[in-house]
Amino acid sequence: MNAPSVVNRGPAPPCPDPFNLTAHVLGKAQDDPDKVALAVLSQSSAERWSYSRLERTVLGLAGAFHAMGHPKGSRVLMRLGNTVEFPIVYLAAIAADLVPVPTSAQLTEPEITGMAATIAPSLVVASEGVALPQGCAAPVIMADELSGLAEAEPLAPIPGDPNRPGYIVFTSGTSGVPRAVVHAHRAIWARQMMVDGWYGLRPTDRVLHSGAFNWTYTLGTGLMDPWTIGATALIPSPGTESKMLPLLLKRHDATLFAAAPGVYRQMLRSPMPPLPKLRHGLSAGEKLPTSIQDAWTDATGTEVHEAFGMSECSTFLSGAPDHPAPPDTLGYPQPGRHVALLNDAGRPVPQGTPGVIAVATDDPGLMLGYFGAEEASQARLTEDGAWFVTGDMGRMGSDGAIAYLGRNDDMLNAGGFRVSPLEIEAALGVHPALDEVAAVEVSVKSDTTVIAAFYAAGEEVDPDELTAFAEARLAHYKTPRLYVCCEALPRSANGKLQRKALRQQYEAAHGAPGHPV
């Protein structure tokens, strides 16, 4: 019988006590004050921030926040655009023992009004033109006031219990209802397990992240982690197109590149220049198709190391430069992690058997819970409280590497077989006419569902051609029975493919299949 799907690489190093997240992030600032901490890159110039300037601005703004008299632990709702003020406000609030709540500038007034009602902020910091919550009594500080406020007397980051709330991020999760995910100050300490377990990050690195300042993937991988180790963060200026990123990588001697899979796909549509300083790429946010990974390696001579995490827990599965993921897997649990694949009863499944990916509840990168939603928080745990259940399916090999099979609610039923949509998407994704593909199970009659392949392409492709292409690469029961051409596939604000939205849109518009095969 196969061994159970459990890997325990713990315990994680204990977090210091007392502790402050901002103090940890800025801990290297005095080692080399004049070193460039951040460069905001445009096609013709770069706005550079030294470590000393970054530290002085953050701690000055923290002093201003502290002087306002908000009680410790008060929430600061961040409604900022894609500007450098975003990480500065975030770190300043945490230094003052307040709890920042970063949110996407794309959220509408009704959306942010509901979120504000959940967290009851005591302060809002906003950019001009970004939607603000209605009926919120909290005072609003506009972005153009921040530079003046940062002239205040610097405040040394306030230490305290590493398990106290440090920041909140919103996620829709599996329910579709936005949940306020509360993370402790210790969450930044847990991220050091990624330095060797995913990044291969060094103090001499220059890390270019393709995302916006106000995206949590950029905030962690592109800014907080490089600053913690004393490296240089490179961020493209707002509005930079993907086709310009190769030039920025080359011109600014980037050694690491981080992006979502869609950005890699867009970049590869044009010839890549030589990138002699680039060591490797990093990918997260959604599954990176093998075809894109291979194309990137062919074009640049470097690998892309992928990682898996979620809003509720820092990235904990990954490949790394000195321990690459085996083909078609996410990689391994990082050092310090305790991970399992569970069945519906909350017990580990045998290796080689699909199960739900779970992380031990003593992981320092795991959330404290959902703000104001204790029942929802408890629902994510196994009955014995030992495991946090992600809702994502995986399959563990005998070496501990985990293949990603998709969201539990995205899994497809094909004639009684459970099929991962990623397997179908990977097979069809290499078709030269298709830009991207999503495999979804849709209802075509009251008692009948089929696997549908939604695809974005320059023009509609003959369904018979796509069927033949799929049948040459997939078992018959995995082959889509329906092909639907879309102008674009729906994605969340964080770039994640929304298969559920495709299913709902199709079923609302069609009582019968569009192109049955």
Side-chain angles (χ1 to χ4, degrees):
M1 183 176 177
N2 289 347
S5 296
V6 181
V7 173
N8 188 352
R9 301 193 67 192
C15 184
D17 186 2
F19 186 78
N20 183 284
L21 185 154
T22 297
H24 184 68
V25 170
L26 298 179
K28 300 292 185 182
Q30 295 305 313
D31 292 355
D32 189 355
D34 294 330
K35 182 176 180 178
V36 175
L38 170 67
V40 185
L41 312 179
S42 68
Q43 294 183 35
S44 58
S45 64
E47 177 192 357
R48 293 178 173 86
W49 285 66
S50 67
Y51 268 95
S52 60
R53 181 188 178 194
L54 176 67
E55 182 182 47
R56 176 61 181 85
T57 304
V58 167
L59 300 186
L61 186 57
F65 285 160
H66 185 64
M68 293 175 188
H70 299 291
K72 291 182 179 181
S74 298
R75 274 78 60 197
V76 178
L77 180 62
M78 295 173 58
R79 298 297 296 137
L80 293 164
N82 179 20
T83 65
V84 70
E85 285 79 15
F86 200 91
I88 289 172
V89 169
Y90 175 82
L91 288 174
I94 294 174
D97 222 0
L98 304 176
V99 180
V101 187
T103 59
S104 169
Q106 298 178 40
L107 293 169
T108 62
E109 182 182 293
E111 288 173 319
I112 198 60
T113 297
M115 291 177 177
T118 297
I119 61 167
S122 64
L123 180 66
V124 179
V125 184
S127 294
E128 190 69 37
V130 177
L132 296 178
Q134 292 299 300
C136 179
V140 179
I141 296 174
M142 299 305 295
D144 58 9
E145 302 175 57
L146 294 172
S147 59
L149 291 172
E151 296 297 323
E153 183 69 23
L155 174 76
I158 298 172
D161 183 349
N163 295 300
R164 73 195 189 282
Y167 63 96
I168 294 174
V169 293
F170 272 91
T171 180
S172 59
T174 57
S175 66
V177 177
R179 297 285 189 195
V181 180
V182 184
H183 278 287
H185 278 252
R186 59 169 160 75
I188 192 69
W189 180 262
R191 295 185 68 90
Q192 67 185 318
M193 294 185 280
M194 304 179 203
V195 170
D196 295 321
W198 178 25
Y199 300 146
L201 186 60
R202 307 168 186 169
T204 54
D205 274 321
R206 295 171 61 81
V207 184
L208 196 158
H209 197 298
S210 68
F213 282 107
N214 54 8
W215 187 19
T216 53
Y217 179 18
T218 310
L219 195 60
T221 300
L223 297 170
M224 301 298 129
D225 295 334
W227 291 342
T228 297
I229 202 170
T232 295
L234 307 173
I235 304 293
S237 59
T240 300
E241 297 181 15
S242 295
K243 65 182 181 181
M244 293 304 302
L245 293 175
L247 178 61
L248 296 181
L249 287 167
K250 180 178 177 62
R251 181 177 292 167
H252 295 277
D253 294 331
T255 57
L256 271 63
F257 175 59
V263 174
Y264 283 98
R265 180 187 294 110
Q266 293 164 17
M267 291 172 66
L268 288 165
R269 289 174 178 167
S270 302
M272 297 288 292
L275 300 172
K277 298 295 182 67
L278 186 68
R279 296 208 319 276
H280 54 266
L282 304 167
S283 178
E286 62 177 314
K287 185 72 182 73
L288 179 70
T290 301
S291 58
I292 295 177
Q293 207 163 9
D294 292 343
W296 178 266
T297 300
D298 290 343
T300 68
T302 67
E303 295 182 323
V304 179
H305 299 290
E306 188 174 9
F308 170 82
M310 55 198 316
S311 299
E312 292 87 347
C313 187
S314 58
T315 332
F316 57 90
L317 301 176
S318 55
D322 63 351
H323 203 53
D328 301 318
T329 74
L330 290 169
Y332 305 89
Q334 296 164 355
R337 308 290 189 178
H338 188 187
V339 177
L341 303 186
L342 307 178
N343 60 20
D344 291 342
R347 297 196 173 96
V349 300
Q351 289 177 349
T353 302
V356 179
I357 302 171
V359 62
T361 49
D362 62 357
D363 190 295
L366 186 63
M367 69 173 184
L368 293 172
Y370 297 118
F371 187 88
E374 178 63 26
E375 187 174 329
S377 302
Q378 290 298 316
R380 299 302 299 270
L381 308 181
T382 52
E383 189 173 348
D384 60 4
W387 298 102
F388 173 83
V389 180
T390 67
D392 292 270
M393 300 292 292
R395 183 188 298 110
M396 184 179 291
S398 59
D399 61 351
I402 295 176
Y404 183 65
L405 303 179
R407 292 289 306 173
N408 190 24
D409 51 1
D410 281 341
M411 292 293 284
L412 313 175
N413 188 317
F417 294 96
R418 285 173 67 78
V419 179
S420 167
L422 300 177
E423 187 175 0
I424 298 171
E425 291 162 9
L428 283 169
V430 296
H431 189 289
L434 307 188
D435 294 330
E436 53 182 345
V437 183
V440 181
E441 185 177 345
V442 299
S443 176
V444 292
K445 294 180 182 179
S446 59
D447 58 352
T448 304
T449 62
V450 299
I451 295 177
F454 295 81
Y455 64 90
E459 59 183 16
E460 189 168 355
V461 182
D462 185 346
D464 292 334
E465 177 186 337
L466 293 175
T467 297
F469 190 85
E471 287 179 340
R473 293 161 175 79
L474 295 167
H476 179 70
Y477 69 88
K478 300 178 186 177
T479 302
R481 300 295 185 264
L482 175 65
Y483 295 92
V484 181
C485 183
C486 308
E487 184 175 334
L489 300 185
R491 294 185 176 275
S492 69
N494 288 342
K496 291 186 178 181
L497 183 62
Q498 296 182 308
R499 297 183 184 86
K500 184 177 180 181
L502 277 171
R503 179 172 64 249
Q504 292 173 339
Q505 291 168 10
Y506 180 84
E507 291 178 352
H510 299 267
H515 293 290
V517 177

